[in-house]
Amino acid sequence: SLVLFTISLFLFGWYGSLRDLPLSIRRQRQMCIRDSIRFLLQGLLTTVVISVTAILLSILLGLVIAIGRNSEYKVLRGIAGVYIEVFKNTPLLLWIMLIFFVARIPPLGSAVLSFTLFTSAGIAEILRGGFSAIPGGQWEAAKSQGFSRAAAYVYIVIPQAVRSMIPALLSQVVTTIKDTSYLWGAMAIQELMGRGMILMNLYNSTAQIFAIFGLMALLYFAVCFTISQVVRKYQKKYRTASILYD
């Protein structure tokens, strides 16, 4: 019902303003509508590319931090702990602005780097929780078979822990996609929110502006809801498999 309402709002906002116009102008406006939708979809693509790139890099960096957090060496545990606490207790927008204006990195690079640094702290905690859920006997078994600690992670711990971590990782993807809406205000990257704001400045009708808002909300909702449904189905499947295994 929410999707239908949003689509109806969008169509009413634009097509409702075309009823009393001459045919030639009406066709010209309809072409403008199609161009506007294409413009927003290009912004959505930018949002997804930034989010996926940042998540993949965050998983790699978060894996290093999580292993350091579980390290036998106190110094490595301390460094990893400080990293996690710093990024968990500071706002994302601060790092976006800091990297863009202080480090002088181009906008897309600044966006990916800031999201990677910030998100990797949360992912490190997710990974560490997954690793901690592995029974201690698995470590002892690996050691008795001559595995090094690194080999134990690669061949024993990570394959077992990854199934329980996938829902939390996918939820982090949803959060990252929504947080990309900061990028337009911080560094004028034309992701979905940015392109929507550009379109709003081109129209003076309240109905059209609300229609753009509705279409942006629909696009965000479609992507995030799809990922959320994947998470729910995976959790259900994982719980069923766990019950059967037990």
Side-chain angles (χ1 to χ4, degrees), residues 46 190 205:
T46 301
Q190 292 185 20
S205 167

Side-chain angles (χ1 to χ4, degrees), residues 39-230:
F39 187 71
L40 284 178
L41 291 176
Q42 290 170 350
L44 178 62
L45 177 62
T46 301
T47 293
V48 172
V49 168
I50 292 173
S51 301
V52 171
T53 304
I55 285 292
L56 292 177
L57 294 175
S58 296
I59 290 174
L60 294 176
L61 181 56
L63 178 61
V64 174
I65 297 168
I67 292 175
R69 196 77 176 90
N70 285 347
S71 173
E72 298 173 342
Y73 301 100
K74 187 175 181 179
V75 174
L76 292 179
R77 292 201 305 270
I79 293 173
V82 169
Y83 181 95
I84 291 172
E85 292 302 323
V86 167
F87 282 97
K88 279 180 61 179
N89 294 287
T90 50
L92 171 60
L93 187 58
L94 172 67
W95 296 104
I96 294 174
M97 304 286 284
L98 183 67
I99 292 172
F100 181 60
F101 290 106
V102 177
R104 299 289 183 177
I105 299 175
L108 282 177
S110 296
V112 172
L113 179 58
S114 57
F115 272 88
T116 298
L117 294 175
F118 186 85
T119 306
S120 61
I123 288 181
E125 288 289 82
I126 294 172
L127 296 177
R128 189 169 75 93
F131 297 158
S132 299
I134 300 299
Q138 298 285 344
W139 291 102
E140 296 299 326
K143 187 175 181 180
S144 68
Q145 294 297 318
F147 285 91
S148 66
R149 192 168 182 83
Y153 269 112
V154 173
Y155 296 108
I156 297 176
V157 176
I158 293 178
Q160 293 185 74
V162 69
R163 290 194 305 170
S164 63
M165 296 186 296
I166 286 178
L169 292 175
L170 290 176
S171 296
Q172 189 66 52
V173 174
V174 172
T175 300
T176 302
I177 289 173
K178 292 187 292 186
D179 286 347
T180 56
S181 58
Y182 292 136
L183 295 175
W184 169 249
M187 57 182 75
I189 291 180
Q190 292 185 20
E191 38 69 60
L192 178 56
M193 177 64 71
R195 293 202 169 208
M197 298 300 291
I198 291 172
L199 284 179
M200 287 180 212
N201 290 328
L202 300 178
Y203 297 98
N204 53 14
S205 167
T206 302
Q208 290 173 336
I209 291 174
F210 273 101
I212 295 171
F213 266 121
L215 184 56
M216 288 166 56
L218 176 62
L219 292 174
Y220 275 118
F221 176 81
V223 174
C224 295
F225 181 75
T226 300
I227 297 174
S228 298
Q229 288 298 105
V230 171

